[in-house]
Amino acid sequence: MVRTTLSVLKADVGSLAGHNVVHPLQIKAAQDSLKDAKESGLISDFYVTNCGDDLELIITHKKGEDNSEIHNMAWDTFKKAAKVAEELGLYAAGQDLLCEAFSGNLKGLGPGYAEIEFEERKSEPVVIFMADKTEPGAFNLPLYKVFADPFSTAGLVIDPTMHDGFRFEVLDVLEGTSFELNTPEESYDLLALIGTTGRYILKKISKKDGTVASRVSITRLCLIAGRYVGKDDPVAIVRAQHGLPAVGEILEPFAFPHLVAGWMRGSHYGPLMPVAQRNARCTRFDGPPRLIALGFQIKNGKLTGPSDLFDDPAFDMTRAKACEVADYMRRHGPFMPERLGPEEMEYTTMPQVLEKLKARGKKEE
Ligand code: F6R
Ligand code: MG
Ligand code: MG
C-alpha cells in the first residue's frame, strides 16, 4: 500500500489589477520552485494554479500532514512569488505572509492549507476546490449536502458502503474548540453549529471507520493579524468514489449559488459562483466570490489531470442565477443583509467609526 499526502497550500502574495489575478510570472516562479523540490526528492509531484489573486500549490509527497520541511518549502515558494510581485509592482505584494520568518509550520503564519494523508486506493480520484473572496465557512453548506443530504447525494441512500453516514469535525474558530458529530444521527446538532458560518467551520469529514474523506483550510487571517487583512479564500480537498461520494455528487450542491461572506472588502454577502479556472477573476464589486474545482487522479504520488470540473455548460444556469442574485444583493448598498453583520465588521472599520462617534453619543432618557 502506498501512503501519500496531498497538500493544497495557498496564499495571496500580490496580484495584477488590484486584487484580481495572480500574474503568469508568479505562477512560473512557483512552478520552478516546486520543480526543484521534486528533483530533490522532497515532493512526489505538483500542480500550480490560481483562483483569482490566490496562488495555489497542489503537492503530493510522503512526509505526512503538517510537515515542517514541506511547509518550509511552500513558504519559500510563496516568498519567491511575492518577490516577483514586488519587482513588477503588483498589488498587495506579500499580503498573506504575515510573519518575517518561517517557524516550523504554516499554521498562523498567513497562508492557508488543507492536507490529507491516505493510503492510495487502486484508483484515487480527488476534487480540489479553491475559492476567492470568501471564507472557509463557505464550504459548510455544500459539504454538509455532499456528505449528509440524501436529496443531494444519492449514495447515502442506495450505496450500502455509504449508508452508515459520516463523521464531521467542526472547529469553533473563536474558542479554538473542536467537536465531532455523526450523521445521520446528529444531523440537527451539526446543522445548529455549522449554520453559523463565520464561527463554526467544517474542518474534516471522515467515514465512520476513520477513512478521511475531506479537509477544509481553516485559517482566519483577521484573527491571526488582529486586524482585517482580507478574507481567507479557502481550499477544500474531497476524495471521491467507491464508498465515498461520486464526483457528480460532490459537485451537485454547488449548482446552488448560495450566499457567502466575503466579496468587496470582505464585508458583504454574495453568491458563490462556480467557474472554469480561466474565469476565476473577481471583477464586479471585486466578485462575485468565485469557486473552481479541479479533478485529479493520484497514483504512486503522481498527479494526473486536472479536469476543470466547472468548465461545463451544466453550470451555466448556476452562473446566471449567481449574477441575478448579485444584482439583487447589490441593490441594498451599505445595508444589511448585503453588508455583513456587526460581529464580522468588528474586524474592519466599525470600531474606528464607533470610537470617533463616542464623544458625541447622548444617553436617551
Ligand atoms: C476582498 C478583497 C478586495 C479588497 C478591496 C480593497 O477580499 O481582496 O475586495 O478588500 O479591493 O482593497 P485595498 O484595501 O487593498 O484597496
Ligand atoms: Mg488580494
Ligand atoms: Mg483572494
Side-chain angles (χ1 to χ4, degrees), residues 197-211:
T197 47
R199 174 162 181 178
Y200 297 100
I201 318 278
L202 271 186
K203 180 182 165 189
K204 181 174 173 181
I205 302 162
S206 312
K207 280 176 81 89
K208 286 179 178 161
D209 67 7
T211 308

Side-chain angles (χ1 to χ4, degrees), residues 79-100:
K79 281 257 178 211
K80 288 173 189 164
K83 188 159 172 282
V84 173
E86 259 159 42
E87 283 163 7
L88 296 178
L90 299 182
Y91 194 66
Q95 175 187 282
D96 287 355
L97 306 179
L98 300 180
C99 301
E100 281 302 310

